[in-house]
Amino acid sequence: GMSKCCPSSYCHMVWVFIMNRMGSQGSSAAQRRRMALGVVILLLVDVIWVASSELTSYIFKRQEYNKPFFSTFTKTSMFVLYLLGFLLWRPWRQQCTGTLQRRHSAFVSTLPPQGDETKHLNKTFSLSLPPSIHCSLHFSLPAASKKQRVRFSNIMEVRQLPSTQALEAKLSRMSYPAAKDHETMLRTVGKLTVTDVAKISFFFCFVWFLANLSYQEALSDTQVAIVNILSSTSGLFTLILAAIFPSNSSDRFTLSKLLAVALSMGGVALVSFSSMDGADGKGIIGSLWSLAGAALYAVYIVMIKRRVDREDKLDIPMFFGFVGLFNLLLLWPGFLLLHYTGFEAFELPSQLVWTYILINGLIGTVLSEFLWLWGCFLTSSLIGTLALSLTIPLSIMADICMQKVRFSWLFFAGAIPVFLSFFIATLLCHYNNWDPVMVGLRRVFAFICRKHRIHRLPEDSEQCESLIPLHTVSPNEGSFCS
């Protein structure tokens, strides 16, 4: 009927429907390609990290340049290359000139002047009021007419909301084209300034360096696979520390987290026992260094989460750039301290070892960190963190194939629960309010109680008597049950 009445409008509707379907299919295909590229990049990062650990172990053991502090200092200082972004990346340059701060303040406080009686109010409260209050004041102030139906009291209460809520209220009232016009600015709204990022980097530079130094010390004492397995327990330390020092209400310790910690600790004990096979006793020292590095990395994660409430507020490449800068400027006295105390004699490496260390720092530290962030951006932070668990089987295969290491059954018996607990801890960290163990126990308890309640009532105990008979009862029938 529609095609006879208005064929042009019908064809137009069909055309719009077909174009929408093609657009949705194109977007889903683009999203699949984006996800596939992200997964490939994360797998490449796993290979780079395992190769970097194997190269570090090769330098320490085969090249006989066992200098963990020198290796850590050189590779961490190379993060300073990220600060080249201030020359190459336009938004960073704009932050330095203060352009974005001015645009941000103008964006929050955009309110047109409305006559003499509102000038003082706008001047006083334009920066502190959320847009919803701005709008209500704008539309409810008395007009400059003779008949004023609304009178305002001299005493008024103004409540100040956080700027994040003001921005969300502002965005909800903007049209789609206007929001698209502000897209570049909105991406930077709420981000920490260059000064704030530098301050955070200064405080976390030392914890980051100590965590990496512990990892390098562990590589100098034991196999890469054992180090990577024990280092993966940082997620469990993060769960424990987040429960002790919560940054929000969702950081409570649940039964599922307790199970993940117990599973991981059991695996760690087995892996540590398997590393005691060496006659020199270095295996257990390497295990302790690995656990110390995992604990320090967890401290770093929990502290930065308490300091920065949202991960998109902190510019990660800029953060690492300042970490490299402060590492270069502040931690060089460690060479003197370790040299004169006898822990690590200062000695410049040979040209070959220098080449290995620089390649390792550029690819294994600077490039891999950038690729991992890019992979997380293309997929999600959850997939990015789960991808790290693949370093465990990759490092086991690398040790077996390249270094001809033979692992005992204790090692594999411990590696499996640690690998599983890494997955569990990552999921529980991502979905903070999820407690599947407690949900399962409650369902089992409810099922048992219901079954017990059904068995407790025998069939004969319930007598049914029909007050209104459903059929004609003859006087000879003595039963009134139906």
Side-chain angles (χ1 to χ4, degrees), residues 304-323:
I304 207 165
K305 192 178 175 186
R306 285 173 67 87
R307 189 74 183 268
V308 183
D309 53 351
R310 288 198 334 266
E311 61 182 10
D312 57 340
K313 286 176 67 174
L314 182 65
D315 202 321
I316 303 293
M318 188 191 295
F319 169 78
F320 277 123
F322 280 116
V323 165

Side-chain angles (χ1 to χ4, degrees), residues 23-242:
S24 64
Q25 288 174 0
S27 64
S28 63
Q31 193 171 2
R32 284 197 299 270
R33 285 197 299 271
R34 177 189 174 98
M35 178 68 71
L37 177 62
V39 170
V40 169
I41 289 171
L42 291 172
L43 291 174
L44 178 62
V45 170
D46 286 334
V47 173
I48 290 174
W49 278 345
V50 172
S52 173
S53 302
E54 292 287 350
L55 181 57
T56 303
S57 180
Y58 173 78
I59 293 170
F60 288 163
K61 293 172 183 175
R62 301 293 178 87
Q63 292 294 322
E64 297 181 353
Y65 189 76
N66 193 358
K67 310 288 183 187
F69 185 88
F70 184 90
S71 176
T72 309
F73 181 85
T74 307
K75 290 195 283 188
T76 310
S77 297
M78 291 176 80
F79 273 132
V80 79
L81 293 172
Y82 278 136
L83 294 184
L84 291 174
F86 285 108
L87 300 176
L88 306 174
W89 185 238
R90 189 178 174 185
W92 286 15
R93 292 201 304 272
Q94 288 178 330
Q95 285 190 55
C96 285
T97 56
T99 307
L100 288 179
Q101 280 94 339
R102 286 196 295 273
R103 289 173 68 188
H104 172 231
S105 60
F107 175 67
V108 175
S109 58
T110 49
L111 187 65
Q114 303 148 16
D116 295 336
E117 67 271 10
T118 62
K119 280 181 182 175
H120 177 70
L121 188 64
N122 287 338
K123 185 178 179 182
T124 309
F125 293 112
S126 63
L127 288 175
S128 60
L129 294 180
S132 55
I133 298 182
H134 281 315
C135 294
S136 63
L137 287 176
H138 172 63
F139 290 112
S140 60
L141 284 171
S145 59
K146 294 181 180 179
K147 294 182 180 180
Q148 293 184 357
R149 296 183 181 180
V150 180
R151 290 178 179 270
F152 284 90
S153 172
N154 291 329
I155 301 172
M156 64 176 66
E157 180 184 359
V158 176
R159 295 185 180 181
Q160 180 177 356
L161 294 177
S163 59
T164 52
Q165 295 185 23
L167 288 169
E168 288 168 1
K170 177 83 174 177
L171 289 175
S172 66
R173 287 166 174 81
M174 289 176 69
S175 63
Y176 179 74
K180 289 295 287 181
D181 290 340
H182 290 82
E183 187 175 3
T184 54
M185 182 173 61
L186 295 177
R187 233 184 274 122
T188 59
V189 166
K191 270 188 174 292
L192 296 170
T193 62
V194 177
T195 310
D196 293 332
V197 174
K199 286 178 182 177
I200 293 173
S201 302
F202 175 78
F203 287 115
F204 290 104
C205 165
F206 305 101
V207 184
W208 172 265
F209 183 83
L210 287 174
N212 281 272
L213 178 61
S214 301
Y215 184 80
Q216 301 284 318
E217 288 280 1
L219 286 175
S220 70
D221 290 326
T222 190
Q223 282 85 21
V224 175
I226 292 176
V227 174
N228 282 338
I229 287 172
L230 297 180
S231 297
S232 68
T233 57
S234 60
L236 283 307
F237 285 113
T238 304
L239 290 180
I240 297 169
L241 289 173

Side-chain angles (χ1 to χ4, degrees), residues 1 12 23 95 100 132 168 172 178 184 196 269-270 279 291 293 296 316 339 353 367 444 450 478:
H12 177 70
Q95 285 190 55
L100 288 179
S132 55
E168 288 168 1
S172 66
T184 54
D196 293 332
L270 293 175
L291 291 172
L296 284 167
I316 303 293
H339 180 75
V353 174
L367 179 64
V444 169
R450 189 169 67 246

Side-chain angles (χ1 to χ4, degrees), residues 384-430:
T385 312
L386 285 175
L388 298 182
S389 63
L390 293 177
T391 57
I392 295 175
L394 283 174
S395 56
I396 293 173
M397 288 189 291
D399 275 354
I400 291 173
C401 297
M402 296 173 62
Q403 298 190 18
K404 310 299 181 186
V405 180
R406 285 189 170 185
F407 295 108
S408 64
W409 68 270
L410 273 176
F411 171 83
F412 291 104
I416 293 170
V418 172
F419 184 76
L420 291 175
S421 65
F422 184 92
F423 265 84
I424 296 169
T426 305
L427 291 170
L428 294 177
C429 282
H430 189 76

Side-chain angles (χ1 to χ4, degrees), residues 240-436:
I240 297 169
L241 289 173
I244 299 172
F245 305 104
S247 57
N248 52 48
S249 59
S250 62
D251 280 339
R252 67 183 189 278
F253 205 72
T254 61
L255 202 58
S256 300
K257 293 177 182 178
L258 180 64
L259 179 67
V261 170
L263 189 66
S264 179
M265 290 309 167
V268 165
L270 293 175
V271 172
S272 301
F273 281 131
S274 73
S275 68
M276 295 171 65
D277 296 338
D280 54 359
K282 280 193 170 183
I284 193 66
I285 297 172
S287 299
L288 292 174
W289 274 117
S290 302
L291 291 172
L296 284 167
Y297 188 73
V299 168
Y300 155 79
I301 291 292
V302 172
M303 284 172 64
I304 207 165
K305 192 178 175 186
R306 285 173 67 87
R307 189 74 183 268
V308 183
D309 53 351
R310 288 198 334 266
E311 61 182 10
D312 57 340
K313 286 176 67 174
L314 182 65
D315 202 321
I316 303 293
M318 188 191 295
F319 169 78
F320 277 123
F322 280 116
V323 165
L325 179 64
F326 290 128
N327 177 87
L328 191 62
L329 296 176
L330 301 174
L331 296 177
W332 62 266
F335 286 114
L336 301 176
L337 181 65
L338 293 176
H339 180 75
Y340 288 109
T341 53
F343 284 105
E344 183 179 311
F346 180 75
E347 178 190 353
L348 286 174
S350 64
Q351 189 175 357
L352 181 63
V353 174
W354 256 123
T355 307
Y356 286 152
I357 290 175
L358 291 177
I359 290 174
N360 203 354
L362 279 172
I363 298 176
T365 303
V366 179
L367 179 64
S368 67
E369 200 71 44
F370 173 77
L371 287 175
W372 187 76
L373 288 170
W374 188 22
C376 290
F377 175 73
L378 291 173
T379 55
S380 69
S381 58
L382 175 64
I383 295 174
T385 312
L386 285 175
L388 298 182
S389 63
L390 293 177
T391 57
I392 295 175
L394 283 174
S395 56
I396 293 173
M397 288 189 291
D399 275 354
I400 291 173
C401 297
M402 296 173 62
Q403 298 190 18
K404 310 299 181 186
V405 180
R406 285 189 170 185
F407 295 108
S408 64
W409 68 270
L410 273 176
F411 171 83
F412 291 104
I416 293 170
V418 172
F419 184 76
L420 291 175
S421 65
F422 184 92
F423 265 84
I424 296 169
T426 305
L427 291 170
L428 294 177
C429 282
H430 189 76
Y431 304 105
N432 282 316
N433 295 320
W434 188 38
D435 190 6

